[in-house]
Amino acid sequence: MKLYLMQHAFAYSAEEDPERPLSPSGVAQAKAAALGLKRFGLSFDLIVTSPKRRAQQSAALVAEKVRYPYSDIVTTEAVLPDRPPEELLGLLQKEPTNYNVLVVGHMPHLANLAHKIMGGGDLTFTNAGLSC
């Protein structure tokens, strides 16, 4: 399985909007990232996102650009910031090993997941940045 990890794009602060949707610059950021994925010819067999609005919006903008059906995006609490990486890895083990999977989530979950997969080390994530 090839696993791609993306932190959601820039969102409003909790003071500005408690639901923390993407800000206008975050929408532009997610669209630019999605365009980059398309230009690299990336496609996904599965897109997984957290239930938080900013992650869902980021995943939807990527899905639109790479022609992944929005209705097929899997939303799971296993991608929430405070969840252990083993929870998501358990879900992903049920998928075919030849899949390209995009996970759109949050910090510190993505860093913990990367650390677990790599057996150590640290990755730095930026909003709408992609790691594989």
Side-chain angles (χ1 to χ4, degrees), residues 96-112:
T97 58
N98 64 336
Y99 264 23
N100 288 332
V101 178
L102 173 64
V103 176
V104 182
H106 314 271
M107 294 301 288
H109 181 265
L110 293 174
N112 294 337

Side-chain angles (χ1 to χ4, degrees), residues 16-76:
E16 294 172 297
D17 187 330
E19 288 189 28
R20 300 211 49 217
L22 296 183
S23 67
S25 62
V27 170
Q29 188 180 47
K31 286 182 176 181
L35 181 59
L37 296 177
K38 182 179 178 182
R39 285 184 179 159
F40 279 121
L42 294 178
S43 63
F44 303 103
D45 301 294
L46 178 64
I47 295 179
V48 180
T49 186
S50 96
K52 291 190 179 276
R53 190 168 172 200
R54 57 196 176 272
Q56 289 181 328
Q57 289 175 304
S58 298
L61 290 167
V62 168
E64 179 181 5
K65 188 57 77 176
V66 300
R67 308 189 118 232
Y68 182 89
Y70 178 78
S71 60
D72 290 350
I73 295 173
V74 174
T75 301
T76 176

